[in-house]
Amino acid sequence: MPLNFQDVGVVVLAASVFLFLKRKNKEKYALPPSPKGRLPLLGHALQMPTSHGWFAFERWGKELNSDIIYLDAAGMGIIVINSYQMVKDLFDSRSAIYSGRSSFTMVNELMGYDWTMPTLPYNSKWKSQRRLFSKYFSASNTPAYHPRVREFTRLMLPKLLASPEDFITHIKHMVGAAVISMAYGMPIRAKNDPNIKIAQDSLDQVLEAFIPGRYLVDTIPWMKYLPKWLPGTGFFEDARRGRETMNRLLDMPFADAERHIANGTARPSLVSMALEEIRDMEDPKQIQDAILELKEVASVFFGAGYDTTHATITNFILAMTLFPEIQAKARKELDTVVGSDRLPDLSDEEKLPYLRAVLKEVVRWRPVSGIGLPHLSTEDDVYNGYYIPKNTLIIPNQRGMLFDPKIYPNPEEFSPERFLSPDGLSHNQEVRDPQTIAFGFGRRMCPGFHIALSQLFLSAACILATFEISKAKDEEGNVIEPPLDVAAGITSHSLPFKCVIKPRSQKTKELIQSAAADYEA
């Protein structure tokens, strides 16, 4: 039965009352406290840190005596959270409205990375990509990733033996080769493998574009409509190069993988296993969509884990350089549990509580994701008496949480013992595991964190078992102290540093060569 005018009037009146009450309800709650210096139109845009943002966020939190702060960046609402419990309350307990992502004009629109799992909004495409990855690389499916982690770790050791001064290069190649192998199943041996190079080029361009303040078009999106000949529009050329790299990243390694599969030289991988199922599909459109999704997930595999994993392993080398007494203690545990007749393996991890504590402390002491990618609120909300508007960026200050003195006393100190029980045989359950912070939160938590942790553990264990690490000296015999600062960027890389990495004995040299020979034949 059609509505009459009276019915329409009732509906309009009810809607008006609802909106009025909703607006009045918002007025009861204030936004979280903000730093001073907010300007008309620009807000806090000129105060937004362009590097090492976690320090500014910590400082503002202390000045305002609040673990939650609000920033207005030229009309864009940003909330920074310095409290682990607050982040858990929002990203876990209220994940339905705090799992979104904002669209980044430069990366998503101009460079074309509007398909990557880390930057996708919480939608059906994101869920489908996540399911595809988890189907083949769940934490419980260790046969899918443990063998590759073991192989490429053992292949790295002879490189460290031959040119220890290039340790960062060797670590990068180990992590990149393992990830490419798991994703595409191609043999990766050459130092300058083109598939690793294209993945690295893509990652470098994206991470550069994500640096806050790097491109004004992210703050003023309408600039994307400006003529390309105008001064100040050089970002268009960067975007063009980025889009070219993105297209090569999607197509080049996938085409190589298909050739190896056709030639019978491919190893089991995400691509080979998924293609077997795609071949059983009959609908051409379904096949086309499935192949595109497979290309996207395989491409993201590299970027999502490579940068943070090799940075963390490098931080482990830095810690061992700076703290020889901790290095010696971890090595003694290894010698006791593993012995000297074989290399450590992933099955040894549970029997090495001190080394595990060392690695937890590495993750806490040198967090490679100081703030990570912001979440986006998809609905209005009220939390702890504060109003959080829809479409607000929510930045978890991970570095601030990992240096919270209430949770980690003397946070600047490198102390693995903080994670051990009084008897030193297990994890101290009263101290928060930093891995629950370092890999993200809620539904956006890194899906491949277990692979990264496996690479971190085995590389650390094998390096300690076979090498001794110490500070380098200059030509005059003076000790060279490694710098403790980190490079600016989304990922907090240690600044380049020198150290001495030498084999423990002739026996360990032979052990390294013997273990690697099993994979080089």
Side-chain angles (χ1 to χ4, degrees), residues 457-496:
F457 167 78
L458 193 59
S459 59
C462 286
I463 289 171
L464 276 185
T466 54
F467 294 96
E468 292 182 353
I469 305 168
S470 59
K471 294 179 181 178
K473 295 181 179 179
D474 62 21
E475 295 178 354
E476 298 178 355
N478 300 311
V479 171
I480 302 173
E481 293 291 340
L484 290 178
D485 199 4
V486 295
I490 293 297
T491 304
S492 302
H493 291 276
S494 291
L495 296 178

Side-chain angles (χ1 to χ4, degrees), residues 152-308:
F152 288 99
T153 300
R154 294 185 176 185
L155 287 172
M156 174 190 65
L157 298 177
K159 296 181 176 68
L160 279 177
L161 198 60
S163 54
E165 68 279 3
D166 296 326
F167 66 94
I168 293 179
T169 298
H170 302 324
I171 291 170
K172 286 183 176 182
H173 185 269
M174 174 197 67
V175 176
V179 172
I180 291 287
S181 179
M182 285 184 269
Y184 297 100
M186 296 176 292
I188 305 291
R189 292 289 184 270
K191 180 179 179 181
N192 298 316
D193 183 272
N195 289 303
I196 292 182
K197 185 178 186 308
I198 188 62
Q200 178 69 73
D201 289 347
S202 169
L203 184 63
D204 288 345
Q205 290 172 343
V206 169
L207 292 179
E208 175 73 14
F210 270 134
I211 295 176
R214 177 67 179 84
Y215 291 105
L216 191 59
V217 70
D218 281 322
T219 304
I220 309 176
W222 57 258
M223 288 182 66
K224 66 186 177 184
Y225 300 113
L226 293 174
K228 296 180 181 179
W229 50 263
L230 275 179
T233 58
F235 62 86
F236 283 123
E237 178 59 22
D238 290 350
R240 183 192 63 79
R241 289 196 299 268
R243 186 174 286 269
E244 288 180 356
T245 303
M246 181 271 295
N247 287 325
R248 292 201 305 273
L249 174 67
L250 279 176
D251 296 332
M252 191 176 86
F254 191 85
D256 278 355
E258 287 186 307
R259 281 193 291 270
H260 281 283
I261 292 171
N263 294 336
T265 55
R267 304 171 69 180
S269 66
L270 170 66
V271 169
S272 67
M273 292 184 289
L275 279 177
E276 285 186 12
E277 297 191 11
I278 291 173
R279 291 192 187 101
D280 294 332
M281 297 178 181
E282 297 180 357
D283 182 0
K285 180 65 166 59
Q286 186 183 16
I287 293 173
Q288 182 182 14
D289 292 344
I291 288 178
L292 177 59
E293 180 179 67
L294 178 57
K295 285 183 176 182
E296 293 170 345
V297 174
S299 299
V300 168
F301 201 152
F302 182 92
Y306 166 77
D307 199 50
T308 53

Side-chain angles (χ1 to χ4, degrees), residues 92-105:
D92 284 356
S93 301
R94 308 187 191 189
S95 59
I97 61 174
Y98 287 102
S99 297
R101 283 280 198 249
S102 177
S103 178
F104 301 90
T105 304

Side-chain angles (χ1 to χ4, degrees), residues 123-141:
N123 58 15
S124 59
K125 183 177 180 68
W126 180 88
K127 294 176 185 177
S128 183
Q129 287 191 6
R130 185 106 172 183
R131 279 196 301 270
L132 178 60
F133 179 88
S134 299
K135 180 177 182 179
Y136 298 108
F137 289 101
S138 65
S140 60
N141 187 19

Side-chain angles (χ1 to χ4, degrees), residues 3 22 47 130 180 218 224 286 302 315 335 356 358 377 382 461 468 490 498 508:
L3 291 174
K22 185 177 181 181
Q47 297 174 258
R130 185 106 172 183
I180 291 287
D218 281 322
K224 66 186 177 184
Q286 186 183 16
F302 182 92
N315 288 340
D335 289 345
R356 294 177 67 195
V358 168
S377 61
V382 174
E468 292 182 353
I490 293 297
K498 292 183 178 181
T508 56

